[in-house]
Amino acid sequence: MKLEVKDLRKSFGDKEVLHGISFSIESGKALGLLGRNGAGKTTTIRILMDVFRANSGTVTVDGRPFHPKEFRIGYLPEERGLYPKKGVLEQLIYLASLRGCSRTAARKQAVHWLKRLGVEEYAQRKLETLSKGNQQKVQLAQTLVCNPDLVILDEPFSGLDPVNSQILKDVIKEQIESGKLVIFSSHQMGYVEEFCEEIVLINHGDIVLSGNLDQIKREFGHNRLVIGLGPECQEPEQLLRENMSDLIDVTGRRKDQVIVKMKEGCTRERLLAALLERKLIPEEFGNYEPSLTEIFVERAGDQA
Amino acid sequence: MKQFLTVLKFELNNYFKNKSFILTTVLLMVLAAGIIAVPGIIMSNDISFGSGGEKENETETVALYDADGSIEDPDSFAAAMGMNIKWMECTDKSMLEDAVNDGKAEAGFIVEDLLHYTYVVENRSMTDTLEAAFSQAAASVYRAQILEEQGLNAAEIETLYQTQPEYETQILGKDSAGNYAYTYILIMILYFLLIFYGQMIATSVTSEKSNRAIEILVTSVDSNSLIFGKVFAGAIAGLIQCVLILGSAVGAYQIFRESWGGLLDSVLQIPVPVWVTFATFGMMGYLLYAFCFGMLGALVSKTEDISKAAMPVTMIYLISFFIAIYGMNDSDGILMRVASFVPFTSNNGMLIRVAMGSVETWEIIISGLILAVSCVAAGILAAKIFRFGTLMYGNPVKFSTALKKIREK
């Protein structure tokens, strides 16, 4: 299954909030929708889920128009909510039944997910009597209870403690490995790096970066190196700027390491030789692999 | 359809597992049965007293001070009062008052003449009939005395006055006077169903917004199935509650029917056409209003805003209700004719015309069609507004704004 989003535009009143969002994703892969608060991630997801209608643009699955009701979709909205006064198992069965499961299958799936998420003992309890963390687990159970083909999670890690985050990570990994198509939005880059092969970075309703995460990292690291001059060197950035400006530009710092960009004509061998020649003995010298956070800050952080 | 049935079942479970719903139903059943049973028991006791019970044989001691001897034969006078009375003759007023005060006599009469007397009693009870019986007997004896003085036979004249013509009533159309009671009851049932369940449906819609379950629901189920499921569940729950409450009243009446002397038979003998009209028009009218309550519930996101939001629909229904009550006095008047075709009033209007007035079959069919189409249209509009209001959290959205936005789409 291949989901393709092309040139989505959406306005609320006179204000256009999405200015042409496009991306695609296939089954067995995860796509991370990244962006700052208010960037347009949730609006994009709500258009996918047909909560909102786009002003223009198309969403297709394998080339045919995508109608969410025709698929089993596990959706975890940003606005979490279920029936506080209903029993946990009862409402999970209800939601699974609404999404096309038979009652028997719904019950089986509900029990399975409650057990998998470690909240089976609360199956008969009212939702409102559970702790916030356990309520979030029930939310996740409702997302997956219909055995979805497509999993859409809007800020799934929001408000989770480290233990629950780990459980959620494991579950998402299982979903990807079992061939599900997973889309999730987040501004917690660490999680995105763990699961996503593809990312789409949205800023103020525009895609500012998209593609394969490894490739993006390579492109961002192209021509960039990290140089570590040892812990005793107090001002490594200053030192490199003063002594090596003919070969490199200092672009940043990561702990004791300095991130530099080689100028045109400069090679790794020539740079290393020059460092040694100028008595700057590098304890660390290697390719710069940017983290997603660094890419995010660079591409989305300057337009606040 | 499957989704509709799933929603319907879930919503019905919400009603039937709701403790306050169960408690209210049981209480109202007990109350309805009690309303029938208690007067039945009282009447039963009255009948037993009246048919030679203990009270009939009880002899009351009554003091009498009749200085001028206006009552010639106290025993005959007691018989004329229809009571077993043992007279305690007193020689003066104070003796009589002492007898009453000391409890030797239950009451006393100080007689000046047959048309002037004083009734003396220590504590007058609500059911004291002694004075009325004395008054009636005194008047009767007085009349007899005067008539005899005139040389007329008092017994013959009494019989003459009591003569009643014998007659039969032949009603060619409908007996509005006879049908009034059950028509009124049916309209009241509809009124309570709508006021009670309308609010509950609106609350059910709003609470899904307030607990944020709405986004999961609208992405899982078609909004038509959702709103129709909710409204139909409310209708079925209301109907079941109604049948249970009325059933307990009817059941109690069957037990105490003899005590009531068949007094309520005419109320319960509702003709089939009236039942059919009540079932069809009543139910469609109920659904029409329920959809309106549902759509207004979708425009607010806090349950405390529901009463205010639902006020316009409640007002429309109240106007419809008062038109119906007023129209019952003139079921074939122009007001009822018009009201029986207007969707928001035809549920009561047509019921009144069928029960109490004259109406052509084509009128019933046309009115029914108008109401059915209005009902479906209201349902579809409610679903659209429900869908539109999904993520409208915060301040209530105006109905006109919602309509405008829907048209824009």
Side-chain angles (χ1 to χ4, degrees), chain A residues 137-173:
Chain A
K137 286 181 180 176
V138 176
Q139 286 280 352
L140 185 62
Q142 77 74 23
T143 308
L144 302 166
V145 73
C146 62
N147 191 21
D149 304 313
L150 178 59
V151 181
I152 298 181
L153 310 167
D154 197 354
E155 301 286 359
F157 294 97
S158 170
L160 288 184
D161 66 29
V163 176
N164 286 333
S165 294
Q166 187 57 49
I167 293 171
L168 178 56
K169 276 197 280 186
D170 294 342
V171 168
I172 294 176
K173 278 179 184 169

Side-chain angles (χ1 to χ4, degrees), chain B residues 76-98:
Chain B
S76 304
F77 194 88
M81 285 171 72
M83 299 170 106
N84 280 343
I85 291 172
K86 183 186 170 192
W87 298 107
M88 178 195 275
E89 302 269 357
C90 299
T91 51
D92 55 42
K93 288 179 188 175
S94 59
M95 183 186 170
L96 185 142
E97 284 167 3
D98 290 344

Side-chain angles (χ1 to χ4, degrees), chain A residues 127-287:
Chain A
L127 184 71
E128 66 183 359
T129 63
L130 272 60
S131 68
K132 199 175 175 187
N134 285 332
Q135 287 191 25
Q136 285 188 315
K137 286 181 180 176
V138 176
Q139 286 280 352
L140 185 62
Q142 77 74 23
T143 308
L144 302 166
V145 73
C146 62
N147 191 21
D149 304 313
L150 178 59
V151 181
I152 298 181
L153 310 167
D154 197 354
E155 301 286 359
F157 294 97
S158 170
L160 288 184
D161 66 29
V163 176
N164 286 333
S165 294
Q166 187 57 49
I167 293 171
L168 178 56
K169 276 197 280 186
D170 294 342
V171 168
I172 294 176
K173 278 179 184 169
E174 283 171 16
Q175 293 294 307
I176 297 166
E177 283 163 14
S178 62
K180 306 287 170 68
L181 192 157
V182 178
I183 296 175
F184 78 96
S185 81
S186 184
H187 45 238
Q188 289 162 290
M189 301 299 129
Y191 297 124
V192 179
E193 277 186 296
E194 282 194 52
F195 314 122
C196 296
E197 286 185 35
E198 307 284 328
I199 63 158
V200 171
L201 176 55
I202 303 173
N203 201 29
H204 298 295
D206 280 312
I207 290 185
V208 290
L209 189 66
S210 68
N212 182 278
L213 183 56
D214 290 338
Q215 199 178 333
I216 287 170
K217 281 187 172 183
R218 272 199 302 275
E219 282 171 9
F220 257 76
H222 178 66
N223 240 8
R224 294 188 199 207
L225 300 168
V226 285
I227 300 169
L229 297 177
E232 65 278 3
C233 181
Q234 295 298 311
E235 298 287 344
E237 286 165 277
Q238 187 69 19
L239 209 59
L240 288 172
R241 273 199 192 99
E242 285 171 2
N243 296 290
M244 306 296 294
S245 58
D246 53 330
L247 295 174
I248 56 173
D249 286 322
V250 173
T251 59
R253 184 165 174 177
R254 188 193 271 174
K255 293 185 181 172
D256 292 337
Q257 299 171 334
V258 179
I259 303 162
V260 300
K261 188 174 183 182
M262 291 186 288
K263 288 187 173 172
E264 211 172 315
C266 177
T267 62
R268 292 155 63 91
E269 293 78 12
R270 197 175 152 201
L271 177 60
L272 190 56
L275 282 168
L276 295 171
E277 188 183 305
R278 296 169 200 183
K279 305 293 182 203
L280 295 169
I281 313 300
E283 289 191 1
E284 293 164 284
F285 185 88
N287 289 333

Side-chain angles (χ1 to χ4, degrees), chain B residues 133-360:
Chain B
F134 186 93
S135 176
Q136 203 173 2
S140 177
V141 170
Y142 176 76
R143 276 200 303 272
Q145 280 178 3
I146 299 299
L147 286 169
E148 274 170 24
E149 280 171 22
Q150 301 290 326
L152 297 169
N153 188 321
E156 278 178 10
I157 288 172
E158 192 71 24
T159 310
L160 199 63
Y161 267 103
Q162 301 217 343
T163 307
Q164 292 286 340
E166 287 180 9
Y167 69 98
E168 282 180 5
T169 305
Q170 193 178 358
I171 300 168
L172 298 175
K174 283 166 187 161
D175 179 12
S176 288
N179 302 354
Y180 191 93
Y182 66 69
T183 309
Y184 188 84
I185 290 170
L186 293 177
I187 287 172
M188 287 305 287
I189 289 170
L190 268 179
Y191 174 80
F192 283 114
L193 270 178
L194 258 161
I195 295 298
F196 185 60
Y197 280 92
Q199 288 282 333
M200 281 179 82
I201 288 165
T203 306
S204 162
V205 172
T206 307
S207 62
E208 280 171 359
K209 283 180 80 177
S210 65
N211 62 31
R212 301 291 197 262
I214 193 83
E215 197 170 345
I216 288 173
L217 285 172
V218 297
T219 53
S220 304
V221 57
D222 174 53
S223 52
N224 282 333
S225 301
L226 204 54
I227 199 90
F228 275 74
K230 278 178 182 297
V231 168
F232 274 83
I236 293 168
L239 201 65
I240 290 172
Q241 197 177 36
C242 205
V243 167
L244 287 173
I245 295 163
L246 288 181
S248 69
V250 171
Y253 181 67
Q254 294 306 326
I255 296 167
F256 293 99
R257 188 175 172 279
E258 278 187 31
S259 310
W260 280 84
L263 197 67
L264 300 181
D265 282 359
S266 62
V267 175
L268 297 175
Q269 283 165 358
I270 300 174
V272 173
V274 177
W275 272 125
V276 173
T277 312
F278 176 69
T280 51
F281 279 81
M283 195 45 76
M284 284 196 290
Y286 173 86
L287 291 175
L288 175 66
Y289 278 99
F291 281 126
C292 293
F293 277 110
M295 74 174 86
L296 292 176
L299 295 175
V300 299
S301 47
K302 293 179 205 152
T303 46
E304 56 265 33
D305 290 334
I306 292 172
S307 301
K308 195 178 163 192
M311 187 60 80
V313 180
T314 311
M315 287 307 292
I316 291 172
Y317 189 67
L318 280 176
I319 292 167
S320 158
F321 176 74
F322 286 122
I323 287 173
I325 296 297
Y326 177 75
M328 283 172 76
N329 298 320
D330 184 14
S331 52
D332 285 328
I334 188 74
L335 180 69
M336 271 298 99
R337 284 179 188 278
V338 173
S340 65
F341 285 96
V342 176
F344 284 98
T345 54
S346 62
N347 55 328
N348 287 332
M350 192 50 81
L351 178 64
I352 290 168
R353 287 189 68 192
V354 170
M356 301 172 69
S358 53
V359 58
E360 299 291 332

